[in-house]
Amino acid sequence: MNVILLGAPGAGKGTQAEIISQKLGIPTISTGNILREAVKNGTEIGLKAKSYMDAGKLVPDEVIVGIVKERVAQDDCKNGFILDGMPRTIPQAEALVAQDVKIDKVVSIEIADAVIEERMTGRRVCASCGASYHVAANPPKTEGVCDSCGGELIIRKDDAPETVKNRLKVFHDETEPLKAFYQKMGIVAEVEGNQPIENATRDILAALER
């Protein structure tokens, strides 16, 4: 089954994608991870993407769609895949259709902006090993210090309050219309995002079976 997880930044798409991926035995394709990997490796596409990401802007369609098409053509996607963070815009969705990337189900994780702002501005990431924490939901044993490696915990640029507000605005302007795009195909299911992780997982799996 080829699945898209839709939802605002911080709605829990990444967490749910990992869990659903294990339960269904299909890979998660997170454009965020693919892009971050490219940025870390300093590849041509990575450097191109970095300038947009640092400014809190969307990476151009041709970069994203190219990366995704290559990825879904790999052997481990034969039985299905989960797209996390893609498509973000109607043109990207149309590009996926044009490139014959078939989607069976779109799960929209619904959550209020105020909840997301609280979630995201509280996130902390280890500068050394990349482990993530949250000041309220998942705090480290010692404030500002990674439990795993003792590295310094930092606020990622895209979790800073102003960037979060900007990202939410971009989501409402550009990504939210995707729901209507896929509703016309009759493949959208809505799931409440502001509930315990395991409850959201249960609802998503139930939606995928319908």
Side-chain angles (χ1 to χ4, degrees):
M1 179 173 262
N2 303 343
V3 180
I4 288 174
L5 288 185
L6 268 189
K13 297 186 300 295
T15 302
Q16 292 298 338
E18 270 179 45
I19 300 169
I20 304 294
S21 162
Q22 286 170 354
K23 290 191 180 290
L24 298 183
I26 57 177
T28 293
I29 299 169
S30 161
T31 47
N33 286 351
I34 300 174
L35 286 169
R36 272 195 282 277
E37 192 64 25
V39 168
K40 202 170 101 189
N41 296 336
T43 63
E44 188 185 339
I45 211 161
L47 294 172
K48 206 187 246 182
K50 186 177 190 304
S51 59
Y52 291 94
M53 288 158 79
D54 283 350
K57 290 180 181 165
L58 292 179
V59 179
D61 290 352
E62 68 270 15
V63 178
I64 301 280
V65 175
I67 288 174
V68 171
K69 185 165 170 61
E70 275 177 16
R71 182 66 190 85
V72 301
Q74 291 174 20
D75 280 353
D76 62 341
C77 292
K78 274 188 183 145
N79 295 324
F81 54 81
I82 302 165
L83 279 187
D84 166 22
M86 158 79 189
R88 287 184 189 236
T89 61
I90 300 278
Q92 283 184 3
E94 290 169 343
L96 286 178
V97 172
Q99 304 249 18
D100 292 327
V101 178
K102 185 177 177 294
I103 302 300
D104 300 306
K105 200 79 172 183
V106 175
V107 177
S108 177
I109 301 175
E110 306 287 317
I111 195 156
D113 283 7
V115 176
I116 283 172
E117 286 182 35
E118 189 185 320
R119 273 188 188 183
M120 292 181 72
T121 54
R123 287 203 295 209
R124 300 292 181 271
V125 179
C126 176
S128 304
C129 75
S132 61
Y133 299 87
H134 190 281
V135 292
N138 178 30
K141 293 189 179 81
T142 308
E143 192 179 333
V145 180
C146 177
D147 293 350
S148 306
C149 74
E152 181 197 357
L153 298 186
I154 57 167
I155 298 174
R156 278 195 350 209
K157 253 188 192 157
D158 49 1
D159 289 336
E162 275 319 299
T163 315
V164 171
K165 278 191 164 47
N166 184 35
R167 289 175 73 195
L168 282 169
K169 184 183 182 311
V170 169
F171 169 75
H172 291 306
D173 292 349
E174 301 192 15
T175 307
E176 215 164 19
L178 283 170
K179 215 159 104 182
F181 178 88
Y182 286 114
Q183 273 167 338
K184 284 182 193 145
M185 300 180 187
I187 58 173
V188 174
E190 292 182 5
V191 168
E192 172 57 53
N194 192 19
Q195 60 174 333
I197 288 171
E198 58 275 15
N199 294 9
T201 302
R202 177 201 63 212
D203 292 352
I204 290 170
L205 288 171
L208 293 179
E209 282 167 12
R210 287 204 289 275

